[in-house]
Structures are given as C-alpha cells and as structure tokens.
Amino acid sequence: MADAEAALRTLAYNVRAARTRAGLSLDELGRRAKVSKGALVALEKAQGNPNFATLVRLADTLGVSVSALLEGPSEGRVRVVAADAVMPLWAGERGSEARLMLTTTGPAPVEVWRWRLEPGEEYPSHPHQAGVVETVSVTAGRMTLVVDGVEHPVEAGRTAAFDGDVPHTYRGAGDGTCHLIMTVHLPPGPAAPA
C-alpha cells in the first residue's frame, strides 16, 4: 500500500510540474486531454486512481512520456529494470497486460513496453500526438495490429512500425499467448524530459 501511495504522490507531482511548465490551467489541460477538471484536481492532490488511457492522454497533451509522469528522479547512468518489478499499466480481462519498462532520456525519448496479449483480447489506443512512431516486435505468438482500420498480422520474429497519430489496436491472434516488445518514439519538443 505504501508503494502505491508513493507512486501516486510522484504522479501528482509530475503532472502538476509538467502542467506548470506547459503554462496550462487545470481547465485547459482537462479540455485538451479530455479529462474532467475534478479528476485532475484529485490527481494533483495524489487522490484517485487514473486509468492507463487517462495517463496516455495527459502525457500526449503535456508533450511528455507516460513514464515521465510515473518515475521519480533518475538514480544513475545505467538502469536495469526487471519485468516483475514494474506494475502493469493495463490488464485485460483474459490475462493480457502492458508494462512500461522504461523511457530513455534526451530530446526525443523512447518508451519501451512489454505486452502480453491473450487470444482475442485487444487494447484500442487513441491517436497520439503528431510525430509519435510506434514499433511492435513479436517475440512469441501472433497478433493483429489494426492501424487506422486496416488489419496487419504480425507473428513471432516480425516487427511492424507505424505513425501513432491515428487510431490503432493491438489484438492477440491465434491459439496461444502473444508476447511483444513495443517502443514508442516521442518527437522532440520543449516539454520533453532532458
């Protein structure tokens, strides 16, 4: 419980700091990110439980990575992250999950995600900000990547890349669990972490 409370305090601080850097009021951030002002007020007070979609919309609107909202200060030059040390940011009803492993620093950060998709389970993603590019590398199983309404089968040993500024969905395909590594390449910008 203490870990969850500490994570929520870090999130609250990071959202408030990013909003202030961007020069946005609570009303304006809420309007742009399609999040109620009440939810933002609660979030900045380290209350509530924002879902994954809300975090992605806030990060996109603020021009930062999702992990920039979740992580505390960097602890050194090399970060080694174990998958079981990172809580899933999304969990499906059939056992699918997505874990944000880390985000690189610099003017154009890259998020590194681990996904597990069970057959038939899917995660629909809203369009990201212009300039975001995603890659999905399937390491086991099969998935269907839907980008702007067009389905693309991707199986183990294959990688797909696409512009993330259109609606897209990740769906488990076949009979077994699909494992994949996804990267989200964020465009450089003034609000990007240094």
Side-chain angles (χ1 to χ4, degrees), residues 141-152:
R142 296 184 331 190
M143 71 171 291
T144 301
L145 173 65
V146 184
V147 178
D148 208 14
V150 179
E151 293 187 359
H152 305 273

Side-chain angles (χ1 to χ4, degrees), residues 54-133:
T54 298
L55 292 177
V56 171
R57 286 194 310 272
L58 286 171
D60 279 350
T61 302
L62 293 167
V64 299
S65 66
V66 173
S67 65
L69 297 179
L70 298 172
E71 293 178 351
S74 179
E75 296 179 13
R77 293 181 69 151
V78 176
R79 288 180 288 162
V80 177
V81 182
D84 60 356
V86 178
M87 294 296 296
L89 288 180
W90 171 75
E93 293 180 6
R94 299 181 191 170
S96 298
E97 65 179 27
R99 295 174 190 255
L100 177 57
M101 300 305 296
L102 61 86
T103 301
T104 62
T105 58
V110 177
E111 297 176 348
V112 179
W113 293 79
R114 277 184 181 252
W115 284 74
R116 182 176 72 220
L117 292 170
E118 296 301 327
E121 192 157 40
E122 66 181 33
Y123 179 81
S125 179
H126 77 287
H128 300 296
Q129 63 181 309
V132 170
V133 175

Side-chain angles (χ1 to χ4, degrees), residues 37-48:
K37 181 179 178 182
L40 286 174
V41 168
L43 179 60
E44 288 193 6
K45 290 182 177 180
Q47 301 168 349

